[in-house]
Amino acid sequence: MHKTEPSIVVIGGGTGPVSVLSALKDASVAVTALVGMADSGGSTGMLRDELGVLPPGDVRKALVALARAPQMRDLFTYRFDSGSLAGHSFGNLFLTAVEKMSDNFVEAVELASSLLNIHGRVLPITLDKVTLVLKEQNGHIIRGEAALDKDIRFSTPRPAVRLEPVAHITPEAAVAIAKADAILIAPGSLYGSLAAVLVVDGVAEALSTTQAPKIFVCNLVTEQGQTDDFAVHDFADEIERFLDHKVKLDYVLYNTHKPEHALLKRYAEEGRTWVPYHPDVLSTKHYTAIGDNFVAPPTDNHRTFIRHNGQVVANHILKIIKQG
């Protein structure tokens, strides 16, 4: 029998979890975002390199998604566009300043959570200072999440993924997984965001011991050089590989609606395509595949981007929990 407010753990990094977290913020659930800590690009990368701090960017995105204080949310999102702070967001600088002052990143996240009046919790998946490392079958090494933005072409078999040094799951994150009524692996950069969370030592073990349904929300579009020609089942296969095949997904939510032609054309210019699905293949899998129109309707915020409709995703998650 579920608690009055079911507990949902959302695992991910980058912008992938944002739409789902934003929708769950308004639902009667206890939500915990477990965020990857291997980001090395942009403002976050500069702060890591110059000050030796933990990466604040993905944590900031999750905090803002759950924020219920509009003015503080806008402040944490504000990005300087000139001067020596150009490229930095206020939220990144805030988290960095508190960490430097207290030598405690968790304290920085808790203070930001209070100021933003967030619904739920945001927890770093690890507090180890790590670098994402991918090793291709030919021996080529890709070091750092930001390096994935370069012109790369993964071959088959897919690259091995690890973190250096070895990262360990925080006790708080492990407890959140153990107590969850549902575990959601959010969409996002497959190798840059999701792999960097799932290969953390202890994550696979925590997920393998919980009875909560493990739900993966598949990406809407591919990434050039990384997931070219991937279908829905290919993404799901990689998720389980990152978890060293110790964990089997229970549900995969996938999109059945093609975004509008103009958007697809723009993405095609970047070498990215709509992720196809093959019902005949999905019907043979051990997980339950659920298709729906998961594309967010065009708005001022999504006019040039293909994004998930967080509310539709949230509705499916709540339905799965209710089914028990």
Side-chain angles (χ1 to χ4, degrees):
M1 185 173 180
H2 294 297
K3 299 180 285 292
T4 302
E5 285 197 346
S7 174
I8 300 176
V9 166
V10 179
I11 299 176
T15 59
V18 168
S19 63
V20 180
L21 290 174
S22 297
L24 291 173
K25 174 180 65 177
D26 299 321
S28 297
V29 298
V31 59
T32 301
L34 301 183
V35 183
M37 299 298 289
D39 188 7
S40 63
S43 167
T44 289
M46 288 188 281
L47 293 170
R48 286 188 66 173
D49 293 342
E50 294 176 12
L51 300 176
V53 294
L54 286 162
D58 288 354
V59 167
R60 171 184 56 82
K61 292 184 181 82
L63 287 167
V64 167
L66 292 172
R68 294 182 294 188
Q71 287 184 313
M72 291 302 298
R73 181 182 64 222
D74 293 344
L75 179 60
F76 268 64
T77 304
Y78 178 79
R79 193 173 295 274
F80 296 89
D81 59 8
S82 61
S84 60
L85 295 179
H88 287 296
S89 71
F90 174 82
N92 285 0
L93 295 175
F94 177 90
L95 290 166
T96 296
V98 178
E99 181 186 354
K100 293 295 288 185
M101 195 169 60
S102 64
D103 197 29
N104 189 326
F105 186 71
V106 172
E107 184 175 314
V109 176
E110 290 175 347
L111 180 55
S113 299
S114 177
L115 291 172
L116 290 162
N117 187 26
I118 72 167
H119 173 77
R121 294 188 302 165
V122 175
L123 300 174
I125 194 74
T126 183
L127 292 175
D128 296 311
K129 295 179 179 179
V130 295
T131 298
L132 178 68
V133 179
L134 292 87
K135 183 177 182 180
E136 297 189 76
Q137 295 300 313
N138 61 8
H140 179 239
I141 299 289
I142 299 169
R143 190 176 298 276
E145 179 267 345
L148 291 172
D149 293 333
K150 299 177 181 177
D151 186 21
I152 60 172
R153 292 288 185 278
F154 289 157
S155 58
T156 302
R158 310 302 289 178
V161 183
R162 67 178 186 274
L163 295 172
E164 290 185 353
V166 174
H168 303 88
I169 189 172
T170 65
E172 294 81 6
V175 169
I177 290 173
K179 292 184 175 180
D181 292 305
I183 311 290
L184 179 70
I185 300 175
S189 172
L190 187 60
Y191 297 97
S193 296
L194 296 181
V197 184
L198 299 178
V199 301
V200 169
D201 190 48
V203 171
E205 289 73 12
L207 290 175
S208 67
T209 55
T210 178
Q211 297 301 309
K214 272 75 73 176
I215 308 163
F216 169 52
V217 182
C218 188
N219 294 15
L220 300 172
V221 294
T222 62
E223 292 177 273
Q224 185 178 31
Q226 300 177 46
T227 54
D228 300 322
D229 302 321
F230 263 41
V232 170
H233 66 273
D234 295 308
F235 280 92
D237 287 349
E238 281 294 84
I239 293 296
E240 293 187 339
R241 183 175 73 90
F242 296 152
L243 293 165
D244 202 24
H245 298 289
K246 296 176 181 177
V247 178
K248 289 187 180 296
L249 296 170
D250 296 299
Y251 295 89
V252 172
L253 307 185
Y254 67 95
N255 176 51
T256 58
H257 176 75
K258 271 196 175 184
E260 58 187 79
H261 177 73
L263 276 178
L264 287 175
K265 183 178 179 181
R266 190 179 73 78
Y267 273 71
E269 293 171 354
E270 302 173 357
R272 306 176 71 188
T273 62
W274 175 65
V275 175
Y277 59 96
H278 304 305
D280 55 331
V281 177
L282 292 173
S283 66
T284 67
K285 296 295 185 176
H286 53 269
Y287 49 75
T288 299
I290 301 174
D292 202 343
N293 178 1
F294 286 112
V295 178
T299 66
D300 289 340
N301 293 330
H302 296 139
R303 194 172 302 280
T304 58
F305 296 100
I306 299 173
R307 294 284 187 261
H308 278 85
N309 187 324
Q311 190 58 60
V312 177
V313 174
N315 290 343
H316 277 284
I317 298 167
L318 295 173
K319 184 177 179 180
I320 289 170
I321 293 174
K322 186 176 181 181
Q323 291 173 344

